[in-house]
Structures are given as structure tokens and as C-alpha cells.
Amino acid sequence: MKPFLTSLKEIWTRLSWLDIVCTAFVAIGLLVGLFAINGGIFSFLEYLAVLAGLYLIVRFVGWWRNRLLWSLRNRLIVAYLFIAVLPLLSIVILTVLAARILYSQLGAYLLYEDIHQRIEMIADIAQHIAIAHQTLPASITQSESERVLAAESHAVHDRELPKLQITFSNDLSLLGKVAPQGKDSFAGLLQEGDSLSLISLRSIQDPKEQRVVVLRVPIADLGHKPSANDQLVTSEFLSTIAPDLGVIQLNLMEKYEGTAPQGVLYLSGRTQYRVAGRIVASNRALQAPMFWFDSPVNVVSRLDSVFVAKDGTVDLARPLLAVSNARPSRLNGRIFTSLGELRSSYVIFFVLVGIVFLLIEAVAWTTGIVLTRRITRAVADLYQATQYVQTGDFSHRIQVERMDQLGVLADSFNQMTGSIGTLIEEQNKRQRLENEISIAREVQNQLFPSTLPSVPGVEIEAICKAARSVSGDYYDFIQLSPTHIAIAIADISGKGISAALLMASLQAALRSQALTQGSESLSTAELVARLNKHLARNTGDDRFATFFIAVYDSATRTLRYTNAGHLPSFLICNGSAHLLDKGGMVLGVLEDYDYEQGVLQVAPDSLLIGYSDGLVEPENVYGEEFGIARLKEAAIRVQGAKPLMVAESLMAAAEEWAGTPEQADDMTVIVTRLR
């Protein structure tokens, strides 16, 4: 309810005094129209209300346009509509109109051609009869020969020319009126008064007298219509022509010489005509559609007829309009019947091209939508971030997915808000944080070995990259005797100060046990068991540590180790890796726990690699971890390099797999070359 009232208030503030006056006039006009009050001032008020309504519509369209185009997304959509959709829609409409025009012309051609084919047919029949009449034997009488010739023609052509009439006459007056000068024959449409027919006249040279054979196919006789006002007459002949068309109607025309137009006038040359009568085909209907967009097209074809009036006057070019309709599917069938052997190929090619065009349009639409969403989402995120900054929240960050121009803009905004947020932080909070970090860093720096032990045939390097300012990982090197060295690596649960304190406790306990007399001969399993008991007694139930320790004797080339729940270190020699996984569970959980010691005989020039889980758990963009197997493969590839180079190579391989310099966990690696 509140947003609605807010919208009303916003609209009210935007209204001018002219808008209010026009709104009042529209309301008064509606009341006048509702109560049907007419005459005088009320009619004038209705007129003013219409003008005011038009003004308000223009104002509303302008306000709605400004509000619609305020959003960048809407602007891009409108631009895309005008650039891509409207031209495409115009092309489609133009194509549909062109197709309908072509179909209409094809239908007109079929109707025109079929009628003229019937005219040529009766002309050929008349010529055949005239020639046959002259070749008959003299023994056959004139009446008998005419009867035989007429019977033969009826037997052959009655189906195509229903109600065909064949007569012979001595009256040549009609032929003289309608035949071109110097011609002895005529074939075409003849309109005699109110009747219309196909007719063929041909003179016959008879030894006794000149006669004429008349072939007539009656189309309709408007003189026998039921009433004077009924000008619609059915025709059996029209039902036999142009089977691909639907309903067929012939419009008989007459000259119009009046002063006031009556109905639809047709102009032919300089003469105006109007419809005098309509003849429709009997028992014809439009075919059923083959698909939902198979809408009919209108067909109009002009035919020329000879008009003979009752007073004997002749019009040799009286227009006759043939009107019909047709389904495009039927006309398509008529078109493709002439393709022969290539018909299927043409159809398949057309369908494939259509599919390709549709796919291109779909890709264009998808690309436009995706680009629009990316642009508008970036702008919307930037706008939303400014709202956060306006409220004083400088911690909000825009997620940068791509480093394009908008991505650089978002990154710059993030840097700006980060800088502002850093500048306005409370000084005492920053000081306390710096003190904690300083304490933790000092504790951790004291725990890591400051100098590397010197044992003949042993080269050691270690790298530890903390995910935070302090690390939860721990490593140590302790020289037990001139030929013995202890190598330890651990991962402390938790982060920050608490992890650093537990790390200090573990380091103190380890060194107190390892630096006692005879520790070089102490079993690593016993050493780990003592550390476990120490942590279990002096830490909480929720604190623990994974731990790995190995003791190497360079004199006997023996490696003893125990793995307490830590990721297994591995020993690389001659291109193969051996996992060091014997030991037991993590430290600090069960006070009395028996650990196992593993013993290995080390080959010359072997490589011992210990690591924390932060080195094998980085994930790529598909969510796949780097893993121990890939770490081993990376180590085997560089096993001949110096320990420092091996350590740096393993760190780089894990970071490259993650694809980002950001760490989710501490990363520690120890590389020991055993010569």
C-alpha cells in the first residue's frame, strides 16, 4: 500500500495546473456521456473533454517514455527492437505480402488460362466439324452429316464442356458482328443481353449455300433470375474449371454513365463500368486448410467478352471480372508438380536454408540478450553499490567477472570504496588488530627454525605461505647427532593467535623430547605417542594437530617415520614415488594411542617431500582439487633440480591450477635431498 501511495504522491507532484484542468474536463465529459445529457453547453463540454483527453494522452505517453527509458536495460531493449526486430518484422511482413500477391496472380493465371483453354477447345471442335463437313461423301445429306458430327463432338467433349450446344445455321449476321474483319471464325466469351456463354462461330463452305456452325457452352442466363433484385445466378460450367481454386464468381459489367457513383466502379480505358450481375459456380467451396497459417488469398482476373445488346449494338471489349479465392497450399502443389526429379532436392534445400536462418536469428537474439543482461547487470550492481556507500557501508564490493571496460569500472569502484572504508576505520580497532598480528607473527617467527642443520649428504629447503598474516602450519628441522636429522611438519587446527599458541606448545614439546640424550635412537612412534599425550592433557577437546616426523640416518641411509593423521609425505627415487603413510590418528584426541613406525632404506639422490593440505586442496574453475597425484607428478618432473627450485615449482603448480593468487588455506612444503 505504501509504494502505491508513494507513486500517487510522485504523480501528483509532477502535475501542472493545465494537467489538473484537463483532468477535470475529462471527468465532466465522462459524467455528461454517462448520464446522456445532450444539447447546448453540454455538447461543448464533451468537445472540450475530447481535446483534454488527447492532451492527457500525449502527456502520459511522454511521461511513460521518460520513465521507461530511464533504465539502461530498457534503452538497450528499445534500441535492439528498432535495430534488429523491426527491420526483421518488416522483411517478414513484406515477404508475406509478396507471397500473397504472387499466389493471387498465380490463381488469376490459372483461372484465365483454364477459361481460355476451353475457348480454344470449342474453337478446335468447330474447325474439326467444318473440315469434316467438307470431306463427307455426297451421299450423306446435309442434315444427317450435321447430326453425326454433332453427336461425335458431344460424345467426346460433354464432360469437359457441360451442356455443349452444337447448331448449324444459315444466319451469318452474328458472325459478321463479332468476328474480326476478314475472318470467318470467332471464339470467346459472348454476352447477349442477360446471358453469358462460351461460343465458337465458324463458317462452312457448302456447295449450295454458306452456313455457320455454332458451338455454345452456356455459363448463365441472368434473364431467368427469380426476381429483379436478385443478381446472383449459379453456373454449372464454372464448377468444372480451375480445380485448384475455391469459389469462383463472374461479375458481368455494364457501362456507367450516371452522375452519382453507384456501388463500386471499374475503370477500363476511359470508360467506367459497374457490376450488372453476379454468376457463381455451383457446388464449389474453399478447400480445408492444411495448416493453421494456410489462409486463403483473393484472386481477381479480367476477361474480355463481346457484348451484343438487344438493339443489335456490339461492344467488342466488354470487361468481365472473374473473382475467386484459393489456398496457398493448393497453389504450392500446383507449382511444385513441375519440378520433376529435382523437386525433393529443392524442398530439402529450402528447409535447410530456413533452419540455418532460424538458427542465425536465434543466436543473434541470444547474443543480444546476453550482452544486454551483462551490461545492465554491471550498471545495476554499480548503482546498488552507490546506494550502499550512500548509507555509509563501505564494505560492499561489486563482483568483477570480466575485466572489460565495465569490469575495470567496477574494480575501480571497489578500490575506491575500499580506500574510503580503510581511511574511516576506527584507530583503536586497527591498533588492536595490528597488535594481535604482531604478537602472532613474533610467536611464529620464533617457532620456525632460524638456521638449517648441517648433516652430510642432506639438503633441506622449506616454504610456508600463510593464508592470513599468521600460519596454522608448522615445520621444524632438528639435528639429533652428526649423522641424524629429524624433519617434522604439522597442521594446527584453527587460525590466528590460538593456532600460534598451540603451535608453540607442540614445538616446545617436540624439542624437549628430541634434544634429550639418545633421542636419535628413540622410535618415532614413541616420540609421537609422547607428543599426543602432551597435547591431549593440555588442550581442549576441540583442538588437535596433524603431524609427520621422519628421522634420517645418513650413515646407514635409513629413514624412520611416523605419520599422525597428516597427508602422507612421499619419497621420490628414479622417477617413482613411495607414500609414507604408516602411523596413526591425529594428535590431541585420544591420550593413550599406539602409533606405528615405518622404516625405509633410502636410495642415493632421493627426494623427500612433505606438505600441508593447503598445497593439494586448491580447486580450479571446475571444482577439481589439485590433489596428491598431480603434486607427485609435478615433483617427479623436477626431481633433479635443487631443493629450493623444487619447492618453488610445487608452489607455482598449485597456484597455476587454482588460477588465482588467493589462498583458502596455508601452503607449506618441505623438500629434502638425500644424497
Side-chain angles (χ1 to χ4, degrees), residues 73-96:
R73 174 175 297 180
N74 294 340
R75 285 177 179 264
L76 292 174
I77 291 174
V78 172
Y80 187 71
L81 287 175
F82 279 99
I83 294 173
V85 177
L86 288 183
L88 180 63
L89 185 61
S90 301
I91 293 173
V92 171
I93 293 174
L94 182 62
T95 304
V96 171

Side-chain angles (χ1 to χ4, degrees), residues 63-72 74-75 78:
W63 173 81
W64 179 79
R65 182 194 61 186
N66 294 334
R67 191 173 183 86
L68 174 68
L69 298 181
W70 180 87
S71 170
L72 177 62
N74 294 340
R75 285 177 179 264
V78 172

Side-chain angles (χ1 to χ4, degrees), residues 15 313 397 445 448 474-475 532 534 538 572 674:
L15 291 178
T313 58
R397 294 292 181 271
N445 289 337
F448 290 126
Y474 162 65
Y475 68 88
N532 175 58
H534 169 76
N538 296 282
I572 297 176
L674 305 177

Side-chain angles (χ1 to χ4, degrees), residues 404-418:
D404 52 9
Q405 189 173 17
L406 290 173
V408 172
L409 177 62
D411 187 62
S412 300
F413 184 86
N414 290 338
Q415 295 179 11
M416 180 192 69
T417 55

Side-chain angles (χ1 to χ4, degrees), residues 634-645:
I636 291 173
R637 284 196 298 268
V638 294
Q639 61 177 329
K642 294 184 178 181
L644 179 60
M645 185 178 297

Side-chain angles (χ1 to χ4, degrees), residues 379-613:
V379 175
D381 291 343
L382 187 61
Y383 175 75
Q384 185 180 12
T386 60
Q387 300 301 309
Y388 278 100
V389 173
Q390 188 176 0
T391 59
D393 183 3
F394 296 96
S395 63
H396 181 75
R397 294 292 181 271
I398 302 174
Q399 185 177 1
V400 180
E401 298 179 355
R402 294 172 179 82
M403 291 306 295
D404 52 9
Q405 189 173 17
L406 290 173
V408 172
L409 177 62
D411 187 62
S412 300
F413 184 86
N414 290 338
Q415 295 179 11
M416 180 192 69
T417 55
S419 300
I420 296 175
T422 302
L423 291 175
I424 64 174
E425 280 183 338
E426 295 180 358
Q427 185 63 28
N428 55 357
K429 180 179 180 180
R430 183 171 61 250
Q431 189 63 42
R432 287 198 303 269
L433 181 60
E434 290 176 354
N435 291 338
E436 285 190 13
I437 294 175
S438 177
I439 294 172
R441 188 180 297 113
E442 291 177 4
V443 171
Q444 194 165 60
N445 289 337
Q446 294 174 2
L447 297 179
F448 290 126
S450 57
T451 59
L452 297 178
S454 177
V455 176
V458 178
E459 300 177 14
I460 302 176
E461 290 292 346
I463 298 176
C464 179
K465 289 186 177 181
R468 299 181 182 178
S469 298
V470 291
S471 172
D473 292 350
Y474 162 65
Y475 68 88
D476 205 351
F477 312 125
I478 305 173
Q479 187 168 357
L480 306 180
S481 73
T483 61
H484 288 78
I485 184 173
I487 303 168
I489 185 171
D491 190 353
I492 312 299
S493 65
K495 303 290 181 184
I497 296 297
S498 59
L501 293 176
L502 183 58
M503 181 178 174
S505 176
L506 179 62
Q507 190 258 8
L510 173 62
R511 286 188 170 263
S512 66
Q513 295 292 331
L515 295 177
T516 58
Q517 187 69 26
S519 59
E520 67 275 8
S521 60
L522 181 65
S523 169
T524 56
E526 177 63 25
L527 176 61
V528 172
R530 294 177 183 179
L531 295 177
N532 175 58
K533 185 175 294 186
H534 169 76
L535 290 182
R537 290 181 178 180
N538 296 282
T539 60
D541 295 337
D542 59 338
R543 308 311 303 273
F544 60 89
T546 63
F547 183 73
F548 172 83
I549 187 169
V551 176
Y552 176 66
D553 184 0
S554 62
T556 61
R557 305 195 64 81
T558 302
L559 180 70
R560 297 178 289 113
Y561 72 91
T562 297
N563 188 344
H566 197 77
L567 292 176
S569 301
F570 48 87
L571 185 67
I572 297 176
C573 182
N574 298 326
S576 61
H578 180 75
L579 292 179
L580 308 180
D581 53 359
K582 291 184 179 181
M585 67 182 303
V586 298
L587 304 181
V589 177
L590 297 178
E591 181 177 343
D592 296 321
Y593 185 84
D594 294 330
Y595 290 88
E596 181 182 0
Q597 175 181 264
V599 180
L600 290 175
Q601 215 43 48
V602 180
D605 202 25
S606 297
L607 201 64
L608 176 63
I609 296 178
Y611 55 92
S612 65
D613 55 358

